[in-house]
Amino acid sequence: MNIFTKAVHAGDRKKPGPQIPATTPIVSATTFFYETTEQLDRVFGNEEPGFAYSRYDNPTNNALEELATALENGYGALACSSGMLAIQTAIHTALLDRPKRIVAASALYGATLNMLTKFFEPFGVETRFVDICDLDAVRVAVDQHKPGCVLMETVSNPLLRVGQIDRVAEIARAANAALIVDNTFATPLLVRPLELGAHLVVHSATKYLAGHGDVLGGIIVCDESHHGTLRTLSRTIGPVMGPFEAYLTMRGIKTFPLRMERQCGNARRIASWLATHPEVERVHYTGDPNHPDAATVARLFPVELLGAMISFELKDAGRDQVFAFMDALKMILRATSLGDVHTMVLYPAMSSHRDIAPKQRERMGIGDNLIRLSIGIEAAADIIADLERGLAAARLRARP
Ligand SMILES: *Cc1c(COP(=O)(O)O)cnc(C)c1O
C-alpha cells in the first residue's frame, strides 16, 4: 500500500465492542479489567492478546505504533514521550547484549550530542565521533572502536549533509553493530532506513509527523530482532507516550505525506530563489545539484521529494545583520522547532550550537551568518515576500 494510504488508514478501527470507532479514540485508562481472573492471567502471561496496564500497552498508543510501523516498513514500534527519550531507549535496546561502545556521526542534533558525551560517557559508554559521509573513516572507526551501535541522522543539522545509510548499514552489520538512524528531518516519505539495512529508526514525532507544533513525542520503529528487547525494556523503564499525545500524533500523521509533499515543493522554489538573491552568499539544500552529497540524495531520495529544510549564509554578515533579518520577519516564526505547518527560522549560533566555541563552530562550517529555515505549507510567494523583507532589513544594517 502507498504511504499516502497507510498514513490515513493504518492503526485505526480496532474492535473494542459491537460498534467500531472510525478513528482511534483516546483511551486514558491505566488499567484494564476482565470478566474472569483466568483471562487476566492469560493476558499477563502474553498467552492472549489484551491490555493489562498502560505502561505495557495502551490501545491508543498501540494504534499509533502500528501506524508508525507501517510508514517505516518495520516490524514493530514504541511511542515515547519525546524524541530524546526515543533515542536513549533505542541506544539501550541496541547495546543491551552488545559492547557498550558507540560510533556516532559528528554532526548530530545538539541534545543527542550532549546525551552521548554528558550522560552515556560517564556511565561508561564511550562514543567515537566520525564524519558519517566519509565511508573510509566510518570503516576505520568501526574497526578500531568495535562499537555495539552506530548512530547517524538521515539529514544532518544545520548543514543538511546526507550519509549513505545502506553503506553504513553494511559496515555496521559486518561488525555485528546495530545501526540506529534518526529519520526526523527526512521522514519516511523520503527515506525508510529499515529498508536500507538499519536496525532501529527514531523520530522526534514533535516535528514533521505530528506537524502542528502542539505535541512533544518520539517514536522508535525497529526490525524483528530488536522488538522483544525494545518492548521488554519499555515495560520496565516506562518511557511511554501519553495516550492524548498518541492521539494528536496519529491525527497529525493522516496529513503528514500531504504536508511534507507541499513543504518539499515550497522548499525547492524558495531555495532556488535564495540562491540567486544578492544578499545571500550560499544556500545549503538537499535538492541542490551542487550539494556535496547530491549523488547520495539522487540514489536514496524520491525524484521530487528532496527535503523541506534550508540553511543559508547571509553575505558579509554577522550577528547584527542576522538579528535585523530575523526581527524584520512578519509571518515566519522565530522558533526553535522544525517540521510544523508554519515556516520557522532559527539562528544556530544563538540556539542549537550556542555552547560550541565560535572557532570550532566556524570549523564545522556553522558561521555567524548561517540561518536555518524550516519551510511550512503556506503559499511559497508569501514566504518569499517575508524573506525579502528580512533580507532588505539585513542589507540596511551596518556591516561588521
Ligand atoms: C527535535 C529533534 C530531536 C529531539 O526531539 P524532541 O521531541 O525535542 O525530544 C532529536 N533529533 C532531531 C533530529 C530533532 O530534530
Side-chain angles (χ1 to χ4, degrees), residues 40-119:
L40 180 62
D41 182 50
R42 288 196 297 274
V43 170
F44 263 118
N46 271 330
E47 292 151 29
E48 182 177 315
F51 299 94
Y53 186 57
S54 278
R55 172 154 43 81
Y56 303 171
D57 281 290
N58 168 282
T60 315
N61 285 36
N62 284 17
L64 168 62
E65 285 156 359
E66 189 176 324
L67 171 57
T69 302
L71 295 182
E72 286 285 7
N73 266 340
Y75 180 82
L78 178 73
C80 298
S81 57
S82 73
M84 293 318 301
L85 197 45
I87 295 171
Q88 191 200 11
T89 306
I91 294 174
H92 278 140
T93 300
L95 294 189
L96 186 70
D97 54 7
R98 289 194 179 90
K100 311 294 179 262
R101 290 183 296 272
I102 301 173
V103 163
S106 43
L108 279 180
Y109 182 72
T112 307
L113 210 59
N114 284 340
M115 182 194 288
L116 296 176
T117 55
K118 299 192 174 140
F119 297 96

Side-chain angles (χ1 to χ4, degrees), residues 203-325:
H203 280 275
S204 169
T206 315
K207 316 290 170 52
Y208 288 104
L209 295 182
H212 294 73
D214 56 6
V215 50
L216 191 75
I219 292 177
I220 306 166
V221 186
C222 66
D223 66 3
E224 185 171 3
S225 68
H226 291 85
H227 189 247
T229 303
L230 176 66
R231 298 300 306 193
T232 311
L233 198 140
S234 172
R235 271 181 168 231
T236 312
I237 312 269
V240 298
M241 185 183 263
F244 180 58
E245 283 74 15
Y247 162 82
L248 279 178
T249 304
M250 224 178 152
R251 189 184 159 99
I253 287 177
K254 289 184 192 294
T255 57
F256 135 71
L258 273 181
R259 287 185 276 107
M260 189 63 183
E261 191 176 50
R262 180 167 172 95
Q263 283 164 290
C264 289
N266 277 351
R268 178 197 284 267
R269 275 186 63 185
I270 291 159
S272 57
W273 177 79
L274 280 170
T276 58
H277 198 285
E279 293 303 308
V280 175
E281 176 87 43
R282 182 168 174 201
V283 176
H284 303 262
Y285 165 57
T286 38
D288 176 358
N290 298 316
H291 186 285
D293 309 311
T296 305
V297 172
R299 209 164 61 74
L300 301 184
F301 286 38
V303 179
E304 294 290 320
L305 300 166
L306 300 167
M309 300 295 297
I310 301 171
S311 293
F312 67 97
E313 297 169 26
L314 268 184
K315 200 169 269 175
D316 303 324
R319 180 187 160 96
D320 285 355
Q321 287 70 35
V322 171
F323 277 26
F325 166 84

